[in-house]
Amino acid sequence: MHTVEPWVAYQYSDRVDQDELPLFDDVDRISYTNAMAYGFTQRLIGKPARESVESGPQEYAKLKIFQSYSFGDPYDRIEMGREIFFGCVCGIGVAF
């Protein structure tokens, strides 16, 4: 069986005042995010060659392709109106 699963995700994190927090590295910062990701996943599913009582469908291959779109920072007037697309990301998985 071959399935195609479209999906859309939206991520928003508001600005947070972090001036009072210690800065160890940039990983500790909560960044402002206003973005949408969309894409699809294709799966190749089948029955295993040897079936047992507990066997069920098995995923043999998966292809996931998605792209993100940033709506920008509404608090930054210089960046308003600029639309940012990120490159497509592709992931392939095979299991036999």
Side-chain angles (χ1 to χ4, degrees):
M1 175 172 45
H2 176 248
T3 65
V4 178
E5 305 165 12
W7 60 271
V8 175
Y10 177 70
Q11 181 180 9
Y12 178 81
S13 4
D14 202 2
R15 285 186 173 220
V16 177
D17 183 16
Q18 302 175 49
D19 294 336
E20 302 294 322
L21 301 174
L23 178 63
F24 298 107
D25 54 25
D26 288 336
V27 178
D28 297 330
R29 298 290 132 190
I30 300 171
S31 61
Y32 169 78
T33 306
N34 188 11
M36 177 179 69
Y38 50 90
F40 63 91
T41 303
Q42 294 191 42
R43 299 175 196 269
L44 184 60
I45 301 171
K47 290 184 177 182
R50 298 181 194 176
E51 290 191 40
S52 68
V53 176
E54 299 166 354
S55 68
Q58 181 178 352
E59 182 180 283
Y60 289 108
K62 177 167 79 171
L63 171 67
K64 184 174 185 176
I65 299 175
F66 65 94
Q67 183 177 28
S68 295
Y69 174 81
S70 174
F71 294 108
D73 187 348
Y75 301 106
D76 187 1
R77 296 199 183 273
I78 296 172
E79 197 174 303
M80 280 189 78
R82 187 187 317 171
E83 300 161 355
I84 303 168
F85 279 99
F86 296 100
C88 286
V89 178
C90 179
I92 299 174
V94 179
F96 287 99

